[in-house]
């Protein structure tokens, strides 16, 4: 809490409690993920918040190997498919109301956003 000097002595100012907020972004497309990360960090720095990130988490690679022939006859040829899932984490220290303003940006299609709020 902080105090300010008013007409009748010191008065207590109302201050919003600070929260530790973790924003987790996941996507299959790296360009759209980096664009959303850049927009979030730019808006957070404009409103003078404490920002840590983007922290790049390890990429998950999901692989599926299947036979090309449906019946099983013929030469044994295989198809290999993979899907890469990229993840970024951004940490903010601010009030919950300011985070609502920051995260109100247009998010690219295919990018999932998860917001976790923890009290200090």
């Amino acid at each position: 809490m902080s105090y300010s000097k008013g007409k009748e002595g010191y008065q207590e100012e109302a201050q919003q409690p600070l929260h530790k907020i973790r924003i987790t972004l996941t996507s299959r497309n790296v360009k759209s993920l980096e664009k959303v990360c850049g927009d979030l960090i730019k808006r957070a720095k404009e409103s003078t918040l404490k920002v840590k990130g983007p922290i790049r988490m390890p990429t998950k690679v999901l692989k599926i190997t299947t036979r090309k022939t449906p019946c099983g006859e013929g030469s044994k040829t295989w198809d290999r498919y993979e899907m890469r899932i990229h993840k970024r984490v951004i940490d903010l220290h601010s009030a919950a109301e300011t985070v609502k303003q920051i995260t109100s940006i247009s998010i690219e299609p295919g990018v999932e956003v998860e917001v976790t709020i923890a009290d200090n």
Side-chain angles (χ1 to χ4, degrees):
M1 297 266 177
S2 62
Y3 295 94
S4 65
K5 181 135 182 162
K7 292 182 181 178
E8 288 108 9
Y10 287 97
Q11 296 175 349
E12 194 174 310
E13 288 183 1
Q15 205 175 44
Q16 296 177 348
L18 292 178
H19 299 287
K20 181 181 175 188
I21 295 152
R22 176 164 283 178
I23 301 172
T24 306
L25 304 164
T26 50
S27 176
R28 292 183 287 162
N29 189 357
V30 180
K31 285 186 179 181
S32 61
L33 182 67
E34 290 293 332
K35 183 178 181 295
V36 172
C37 280
D39 291 345
L40 279 173
I41 290 173
K42 187 175 86 173
R43 291 189 96 186
K45 287 185 177 180
E46 283 175 358
S47 58
T48 64
L49 295 180
K50 215 176 185 185
V51 180
K52 288 185 182 178
I55 302 167
R56 289 163 178 83
M57 303 305 283
T59 303
K60 288 184 184 176
V61 181
L62 307 175
K63 294 182 179 181
I64 296 177
T65 305
T66 60
R67 286 281 306 268
K68 281 188 178 180
T69 67
C71 62
E73 293 183 16
S75 62
K76 294 180 175 48
T77 54
W78 297 85
D79 274 332
R80 293 177 196 91
Y81 300 102
E82 73 176 25
M83 180 172 62
R84 295 174 176 263
I85 300 174
H86 306 276
K87 191 174 188 180
R88 304 287 185 268
V89 175
I90 300 171
D91 288 329
L92 302 171
H93 293 282
S94 67
E97 286 75 28
T98 56
V99 173
K100 289 179 186 176
Q101 295 170 358
I102 292 169
T103 56
S104 65
I105 63 169
S106 62
I107 295 172
E108 297 279 321
V111 178
E112 296 179 24
V113 178
E114 180 183 329
V115 179
T116 307
I117 299 175
D119 293 328
N120 285 342

